[in-house]
Amino acid sequence: MNLNTIVEVKRPKSFEEIEWRDGHAWLGGGTWLFSEPQVATDTLVDLGKFGWPALTATAEGLEIAATCRIVELHDFKGPPEWRAVPLFDQCIDAFLMSFKIWNAATVVGNVCMSLPAGAMISLTAALEGVCTLWPQPGQSKDGKPRQVPVVDFVTGVHTNVLQKGELLRSILLPAAALSKRFAMRQVSLTRHGRSAALIIATVGDGGEDFLLTISAATPRPVHLRFKKTPSAAEMRQAIDERLPPDAWYQDVHGSAPYKRHVSHYLAEQIRVELS
Ligand SMILES: Cc1cc2nc3c(=O)[nH]c(=O)nc-3n(C[C@H](O)[C@H](O)[C@H](O)COP(=O)(O)OP(=O)(O)OC[C@H]3O[C@@H](n4cnc5c(N)ncnc54)[C@H](O)[C@@H]3O)c2cc1C
């Protein structure tokens, strides 16, 4: 779509050269920005020229830069001890995607969109990702980068903790989370529809630190952590306590009772698989 409110696209090479003001918006892959009118935006600030490596693997974990495209995450091959890397592709496949989104959209742009069916939110929340946020360019010297877990970054449907001009610079997936066993299930009302529920659990080798992540069925991702793999009854009770009937997300992709039902059903499948 031609955006007729945009008068300038800036392509800075360094953060310092940006003079931010109202009407500016960060440009990731642009797949959402160019999909509908952006009446409040007159200037796009393209992240593409900063030259950040898309993916950086260290002993600490995997850092996903703001410019990392979905296809680059798909092509990533991790060390064998990072047993959760195959989850990348499973979540990417859960994404309702065209060729353009696959090749142009960024992982971080998907997180910033903060939609319930954001498969990169499900992935990075389940792998205990931590966002590094850079303050609005040109802000006073006390504007320092801050860290926010992905699970707390998204606050609701299309809402998040980003402040005006703040940049989600990168997401770190810790090596400890990447090394856990995992299981994932996803369901949509229609064959190629958006996810109605995307459920992931990770667990340590001895059944310790069982982390259940419920997403798509709820407005924002939800973590339920157990010291060891729970019984079916323990898990059901924990889900019901954390998510009462009005906490499930109702939209054209499924009613709240449907999403609650399939989430329980899929979570139990995952629990059995990992037990
Ligand atoms: C046909 C179609 C199908 C889609 N299907 C889905 C789907 O199934 N699930 C889903 O979640 N989304 C979907 N989307 C929405 C969107 O395309 C994706 O969420 C995509 O991943 C966004 O990434 P992007 O890099 O293109 O973001 P952009 O379009 O570049 O940016 C999206 C928003 O995030 C901001 N932004 C981008 N990067 C940063 C950053 N680093 N820091 C701060 N703000 C930033 C932008 O200013 C903008 O407001 C779909 C869109 C289309 C057109």
Side-chain angles (χ1 to χ4, degrees), residues 6-13 17-21 24-27 42-50:
I6 304 298
V7 292
E8 191 176 4
V9 179
K10 294 185 173 171
R11 297 198 162 83
K13 292 200 171 115
E17 69 186 79
I18 304 165
E19 286 173 30
W20 192 272
R21 59 164 174 74
H24 279 44
W26 297 114
L27 172 63
D42 58 44
T43 303
L44 297 175
V45 184
D46 191 349
L47 301 171
K49 298 279 182 223
F50 285 124

Side-chain angles (χ1 to χ4, degrees), residues 25-33 35 47 66 95-96 101 104-106 108-110 112-113 115 117-119 162 166-168 194:
W26 297 114
L27 172 63
T31 60
W32 176 77
L33 278 168
S35 74
L47 301 171
F95 211 168
L96 173 63
I101 292 182
T106 60
V108 163
N110 185 246
C112 291
M113 282 301 297
L115 299 172
L162 278 177
E166 211 171 14
L167 174 76
L168 204 180
R194 283 201 177 174

Side-chain angles (χ1 to χ4, degrees), residues 1 11 25 39 45 49 52 54 64 87 89 109 113 125 153 187 198 202 210 216 229 233 262 265 271-272 275:
M1 165 183 283
R11 297 198 162 83
V39 287
V45 184
K49 298 279 182 223
W52 298 321
I64 305 171
L87 180 61
D89 283 2
M113 282 301 297
F153 176 88
V187 71
L198 200 164
T202 59
F210 183 97
T229 306
V262 290
Y265 181 75
R271 190 194 66 81
V272 171
S275 289

